[in-house]
Amino acid sequence: MEVIICENTQQIAAKAAEAIAVLLKSKPRAVIGLATGSSPLSLYDQLAAMYQAGDISFAQAKAFMLDEYIGLPPDHPEGYRNVIEREIASRVDFAPGAVQGPDFQAPDLAKACVEYDAAIKAAGGIDLQILGIGSDGHIAFNEPGSSLSSRTRIKTLLPQTVADNARFFDGDEAAVPKHVMTQGLGTIMEARHLVLMAMGSGKAEAIRQIVEGPVSAMWPGSIMQFHPHATVLVDPAAGAKLALADYYRFADAHKPSWESL
Ligand code: F6R
């Protein structure tokens, strides 16, 4: 696992955007995993700017979303499909239908979850997966206690996550759906490169636990310690509780110029 303590959100976004740009140049048909929430928003701004400048194209690429709420009307602005459309898909040149998410309107949601994993596999798997982290250590919506080998499935959110996400629903916790469809930890671990972005002191304990704590279903993101190519990008506040912070800074300062993320 590579941990990089960046100066600020812009630097985190720039590093993640650069990794996607390098991928798209070497593999125009790349499959990218997209996260929702506030953490990747500055990354999506940078990708849109790079596309506008003619530096990158998603025309041949595909994307898969991490997760989706169950129970919101299809046109709800906070439905993750709509968020992804607004924040990134509509701002770059993905082909129609190239961005997929769990089918939250399917008559059989459990079957739709199985089909979603199959669709990722049929696309060749995810090359680079963008991740955020919940204050309880969740990645996608794999809440504490999630099976470390779980597949895409329906989960119930923790009250902590409902409270965290109420900010997207005018602070109204009652308006936040309690159920979601989410890629499983086993699904996420099959992506070839994981890039996690975390900012702010509210993420510091989760970052400490998933990077330096024991691998445990109680801190689901800790499964990333088993991934052969995982990058954790944090700002100083999110990295404040890391025991090896000085080492991560030393390693980054001495990173060979030929080595990308
Ligand atoms: C969203 C997702 C979640 C968020 C996490 C952090 O697709 O998978 O795991 O990444 O809840 O959310 P923010 O970035 O809003 O702090």
Side-chain angles (χ1 to χ4, degrees):
M1 185 184 277
E2 182 179 26
V3 181
I4 303 179
I5 303 175
C6 300
E7 283 169 23
N8 50 39
T9 301
Q10 286 312 308
Q11 200 186 10
I12 292 174
K15 285 189 186 292
E18 178 63 16
I20 291 176
V22 167
L23 171 66
L24 285 170
K25 274 175 193 147
S26 66
K27 186 178 179 185
R29 293 179 179 276
V31 180
I32 299 166
L34 299 172
T36 320
S38 51
S39 303
L41 293 180
S42 48
L43 163 65
Y44 296 155
D45 287 346
Q46 293 209 19
L47 291 176
M50 289 163 94
Y51 163 68
Q52 283 296 337
D55 295 336
I56 53 172
S57 169
F58 295 81
Q60 299 181 63
K62 286 194 174 125
F64 286 90
M65 293 164 46
L66 270 179
D67 42 17
E68 180 58 276
Y69 288 123
I70 296 172
L72 289 179
D75 59 351
H76 194 290
E78 293 308 323
Y80 278 2
R81 196 173 278 255
N82 298 325
V83 173
I84 287 293
E85 183 62 25
R86 187 169 67 237
E87 299 296 347
I88 180 67
S90 65
R91 301 168 74 192
V92 298
D93 59 344
F94 278 114
V99 180
Q100 298 184 52
D103 184 1
F104 65 104
Q105 293 177 280
D108 183 341
L109 293 175
K111 186 164 164 250
C113 289
V114 174
E115 288 169 355
Y116 194 61
D117 267 6
I120 294 173
K121 199 168 186 182
I126 291 171
D127 291 297
L128 186 154
Q129 176 65 59
I130 296 297
L131 296 167
I133 185 143
S135 58
D136 63 5
H138 69 235
I139 54 173
F141 275 135
N142 293 283
E143 295 285 32
S146 290
S147 159
L148 296 178
S149 59
S150 47
R151 311 300 307 176
T152 299
R153 68 209 183 293
I154 298 165
K155 284 292 288 182
T156 305
L157 295 181
L158 241 73
Q160 171 74 53
T161 304
V162 172
D164 285 351
N165 287 6
R167 68 189 193 281
F168 297 113
F169 293 81
D170 298 324
D172 180 7
E173 288 185 26
V176 182
K178 310 298 177 285
H179 297 102
V180 294
M181 297 163 86
T182 179
Q183 283 190 35
L185 294 171
T187 315
I188 293 168
M189 286 292 283
E190 286 169 2
R192 287 180 273 279
H193 184 191
L194 304 180
V195 179
L196 186 142
M197 309 170 67
M199 304 85 163
S201 57
K203 304 293 175 72
E205 180 61 15
I207 288 296
R208 180 174 83 91
Q209 292 286 350
I210 71 156
V211 172
E212 296 178 340
V215 174
S216 162
M218 288 304 287
W219 292 93
S222 63
I223 190 68
M224 290 172 65
Q225 292 179 33
F226 278 125
H227 198 284
H229 191 185
T231 307
V232 174
L233 303 171
V234 295
D235 68 2
K241 293 189 176 179
L242 290 168
L244 296 182
D246 287 348
Y247 169 61
Y248 305 136
R249 288 196 168 96
F250 177 86
D252 190 44
H254 294 86
K255 190 170 165 123
S257 56
W258 45 263
E259 192 182 49
S260 56
L261 274 194

